[in-house]
Amino acid sequence: MTSTAPEARQGQDAGEQHGPEPTSWQQRLRRFGHSPRPGIGLRERLIPPYTRPGNQLWAVLGVPPLLADRLVRWSAWGGPLLVAAVAGVLRFWKLGSPHAVIFDETYYAKDSWALINQGYEGAWPKDVDKLILNDPSQVPVPTDPGYVVHPPVGKWIIGLGEQMFGFTPFGWRFMVAVLGTLSVLMLCRIGRRLFRSTFLGCLAGLLLAVDGLHFVMSRTALLDLVLMFFVLAAFGCLLIDRDWARRRFAAALPVDEEGVLRPDAGVAENLRLGWRPWRIAAGISLGLAFGTKWNGLYILVAFGLMTVLWDVGARRTAGAVRPYTAVLRRDLVPAFVSTVPVAIVTYIASWTGWIIRNDPDRHGYYRDWAATDGRGGSWTWLPDWLRSLWHYENQVYEFHVNLTSGHTYQSNPWSWIVLGRPVSYFYEEQNGCTTSATGKCAREVLAIGTPLLWWAACFALAYVLWRWVFRRDWRAGAIACGVAAGWVPWFLYQERTIFLFYAVVFVPFLCLAVTMMIGAMLGPAANSGARYELGLAKPDPSGERRRTLGAVAAGVLVLLIIWNFIYFWPLYTGTPIPEDSWRDRMWLDTWI
């Protein structure tokens, strides 16, 4: 088995005291579980090694050592690809069903079709959905501009699927399903890098693959799954950048006569990290994120702060006496330039179709505002398209903050984590159902997370926060940042009409939190010597029993989550089931 527990990893960031004597604040926190780490090699703190399965596992399976080495190397990509393949099969299975325009697909499917055909959204006539489903070739794209309240990136992506497969349910859901599948692959790799364990990385991806909310959103032409994809991509890019920067420090620090890497204040405070392409890639991803929905701006701020603090930790670990001052001098400006301006340029570029299409009789909404109603003023030296775009954005902002009209499925963000009020995207009642006691069958697509996964995540988040605060574990802080960036901003708009499915943006981080908790449940293998080698503790003879119990508990939890996903499968896919079976799945009254 792989040594997978968080304690068996060099997981804490460099904000810790590594000396033999704990400081006073650490002594006060001991009652809450804080324990300062014994000395670990500087190279291992900067570049934690990846774990690998123990020899006993391969021996039990009868795998020769040479083949075992190859399997370990292949598993780094083979495992994530296998999990992603399973997720893809699930998401593409009968993707065009139900053959209907469900929930807000009525906006985004049509806006995407207009974007891909003429570069801007049109004003569609009412009750056109049935005509589109019957024969989309008979429905012309309206040339009159339509007023839309979300940026165009997500709609461009949905439109790409329509361009390939037609103006049909399968066509407008295709690219969302692709991004949903790729996000599972990304989370496997992100989890592997975060926990330094292929097993835990694949487990995180598997949990995402069987989360009901992510699954439903992957099969529906809405914008939130697209937003989640780019947020997760940005997080992965910043994670790679973090490792890249720490490797630079490890390469620059001096080595003593015994070949041991030593901290050096001069190197730690003055080393210029130079070109950081992964941070620029993160900036592009974040620009695409808030080019899909505006709440991506909050994530840009949170991730920007997180990556700067990671630089502080790296310089402190390398030996900086004043790491914050060093980051202020060396890293802050490059970090800002490679994320914020890059994201803004990416966002503006996403409006290219609206900008360049300015014919007198064919143009986007408000595209001619600067030349008509917006003439005059103190900003006339700016290009007309930029002034028009700014006015458009201002009007959209006013719409969003004042959106307080009631909706049957609206919910408060406090209830999201416990799945208080899911959203029904599609519901159909069928009579003459012989397998039902009531003679009726129900067919529904319900946007709800896998309940056992989300309820386990409540405990996992508490564990993550404890581990971040009292164990100084940077990984826990990164997971908490991802959850907070996607969730906390909605508490500022509790009077606004908001929905549970907005939470899909932080579902991957919930899966990472549950994975981290499961890793702690598993614990390190007693016979692997991992804890002893890392200076964490002497080998415990009772460790094998503890690990066995932990493995059983973790396995039962994962199997229950998978079973729960299978049990709710009909509600995720719109599969007809007897009405009494449908009611059996309504575990809470608020789900109806």
Side-chain angles (χ1 to χ4, degrees):
M1 294 292 289
T2 305
S3 177
T4 54
E7 290 85 351
R9 220 58 90 250
Q10 298 91 342
Q12 290 86 344
D13 203 353
E16 312 164 48
Q17 300 290 332
H18 296 292
E21 294 298 328
T23 60
S24 59
W25 70 267
Q26 290 173 318
Q27 292 173 339
R28 290 195 296 271
L29 291 178
R30 275 181 172 177
R31 70 185 68 179
F32 300 105
H34 173 80
S35 55
R37 292 189 307 157
I40 298 175
L42 177 58
R43 189 178 300 277
E44 287 72 27
R45 293 205 306 273
L46 285 171
I47 316 172
Y50 286 86
T51 59
R52 53 180 293 143
N55 295 330
Q56 282 104 344
L57 174 64
W58 301 117
V60 169
L61 297 176
V63 179
L66 183 59
L67 179 58
D69 289 337
R70 291 180 179 176
L71 290 176
V72 168
R73 291 196 300 271
W74 294 341
S75 67
W77 275 101
L81 286 171
L82 179 61
V83 174
V86 172
V89 170
L90 294 175
R91 279 150 180 76
F92 280 95
W93 183 82
K94 293 186 177 180
L95 181 61
S97 177
H99 186 75
V101 181
I102 63 175
F103 201 64
D104 280 355
E105 283 186 343
T106 188
Y107 305 115
Y108 304 126
K110 291 180 290 191
D111 286 343
S112 301
W113 184 246
L115 267 180
I116 209 73
N117 280 280
Q118 64 187 16
Y120 64 92
E121 296 91 337
W124 292 86
K126 293 182 179 180
D127 303 322
V128 74
D129 292 350
K130 291 182 179 179
L131 297 176
I132 294 172
L133 294 171
N134 290 334
D135 187 2
S137 64
Q138 299 301 314
V139 181
V141 178
T143 57
D144 291 339
Y147 178 64
V148 296
V149 295
H150 291 296
V153 170
K155 289 169 281 188
W156 279 113
I157 290 174
I158 293 171
L160 181 61
E162 293 173 328
Q163 183 73 12
M164 291 187 290
F165 298 101
F167 196 22
T168 64
F170 181 87
W172 60 64
R173 295 169 190 162
F174 176 80
M175 283 304 300
V176 184
V178 169
L179 297 190
T181 303
L182 290 178
S183 65
V184 172
L185 176 62
M186 283 199 302
L187 191 65
C188 288
R189 294 288 298 177
I190 286 170
R192 180 180 182 271
R193 184 174 292 271
L194 193 67
F195 301 120
R196 288 309 199 250
S197 165
T198 300
F199 170 74
L200 287 184
C202 291
L203 176 60
L206 176 64
L207 293 177
L208 186 63
V210 298
D211 173 65
L213 183 61
H214 185 274
F215 177 78
V216 171
M217 298 300 290
S218 298
R219 293 168 53 88
T220 312
L222 271 66
L223 303 180
D224 300 86
L225 192 284
V226 181
L227 169 65
M228 181 279 305
F229 175 83
F230 288 122
V231 169
L232 186 61
F235 182 81
C237 290
L238 292 176
L239 200 60
I240 297 173
D241 174 76
R242 180 185 185 274
D243 284 353
W244 178 89
R246 294 170 83 89
R247 282 195 297 269
R248 287 287 308 273
F249 281 111
L253 289 171
V255 179
D256 64 15
E257 297 82 358
E258 298 178 354
V260 178
L261 196 69
R262 294 299 181 188
D264 184 279
V267 172
E269 294 184 1
N270 297 303
L271 179 66
R272 293 183 181 274
L273 295 174
W275 172 255
R276 299 175 71 166
W278 285 106
R279 186 172 271 176
I280 295 174
I284 295 173
S285 297
L286 290 167
L288 293 172
F290 78 82
T292 301
K293 292 189 76 172
W294 275 6
N295 49 313
L297 279 169
Y298 291 102
I299 297 164
L300 170 63
V301 174
F303 282 9
L305 178 61
M306 179 182 68
T307 189
V308 169
L309 291 178
W310 284 353
D311 284 344
V312 171
R315 291 190 180 274
R316 178 182 287 133
T317 299
V321 178
R322 293 178 295 276
Y324 286 95
T325 302
V327 167
L328 184 63
R329 291 171 51 237
R330 301 296 185 190
D331 301 322
L332 189 60
V333 172
F336 176 83
V337 171
S338 59
T339 51
V340 177
V342 169
I344 292 174
V345 170
T346 302
Y347 176 83
I348 295 175
S350 70
W351 285 88
T352 299
W354 180 90
I355 293 170
I356 64 176
R357 195 61 182 266
N358 193 30
D359 299 337
D361 56 343
R362 293 174 66 92
H363 56 76
Y365 205 86
Y366 278 135
R367 177 61 184 85
D368 62 346
W369 176 85
T372 55
D373 296 339
R375 286 179 296 179
S378 58
W379 298 94
T380 53
W381 55 272
L382 291 173
D384 281 357
W385 66 265
L386 185 56
R387 294 176 58 229
S388 297
L389 181 59
W390 180 260
H391 177 74
Y392 194 174
E393 304 286 57
N394 182 68
Q395 295 301 304
V396 169
Y397 175 78
E398 292 295 328
F399 169 85
H400 281 304
V401 297
N402 294 304
L403 182 61
T404 57
S405 57
H407 193 284
T408 304
Y409 294 108
Q410 72 181 68
S411 59
N412 191 283
W414 287 104
S415 68
W416 291 356
I417 193 65
V418 293
L419 303 174
R421 183 58 171 163
V423 182
S424 179
Y425 285 173
F426 172 85
Y427 183 84
E428 183 179 75
E429 197 174 82
Q430 299 175 345
N431 294 317
C433 186
T434 58
T435 58
S436 172
T438 63
K440 297 180 179 179
C441 278
R443 188 183 182 204
E444 183 174 28
V445 176
L446 187 66
I448 183 174
T450 302
L452 292 185
L453 173 60
W454 281 64
W455 295 340
C458 295
F459 298 95
L461 286 178
Y463 170 73
V464 162
L465 290 174
W466 170 81
R467 188 158 187 88
W468 177 41
V469 174
F470 298 116
R471 291 296 182 93
R472 311 291 290 171
D473 193 326
W474 73 271
R475 301 165 305 165
I479 295 170
C481 178
V483 174
W487 186 15
V488 171
W490 290 110
F491 289 94
L492 304 175
Y493 305 98
Q494 295 186 60
E495 299 302 321
R496 186 185 181 276
T497 307
I498 52 180
F499 302 93
L500 169 65
F501 64 82
Y502 296 172
V504 73
V505 71
F506 61 84
V507 166
F509 300 97
L510 293 183
C511 294
L512 289 173
V514 174
T515 301
M516 192 172 193
M517 182 178 71
I518 290 175
M521 293 168 62
L522 287 171
N527 57 359
S528 70
R531 293 179 66 88
Y532 180 73
E533 291 170 5
L534 297 180
L536 295 172
K538 293 182 179 180
D540 183 2
S542 64
E544 190 63 35
R545 182 178 61 184
R546 177 254 180 271
R547 182 167 174 83
T548 300
L549 293 175
V552 170
V556 168
L557 176 59
V558 173
L559 289 176
L560 284 174
I561 290 171
I562 295 173
W563 164 82
N564 202 207
F565 174 76
I566 296 172
Y567 180 71
F568 280 87
W569 173 268
L571 301 187
Y572 299 143
T573 58
T575 302
I577 56 175
E579 188 180 46
D580 44 355
S581 296
W582 174 83
R583 291 193 176 275
D584 289 341
R585 289 164 171 79
M586 296 294 106
W587 287 358
L588 301 178
D589 291 341
T590 56
W591 292 5
I592 299 176

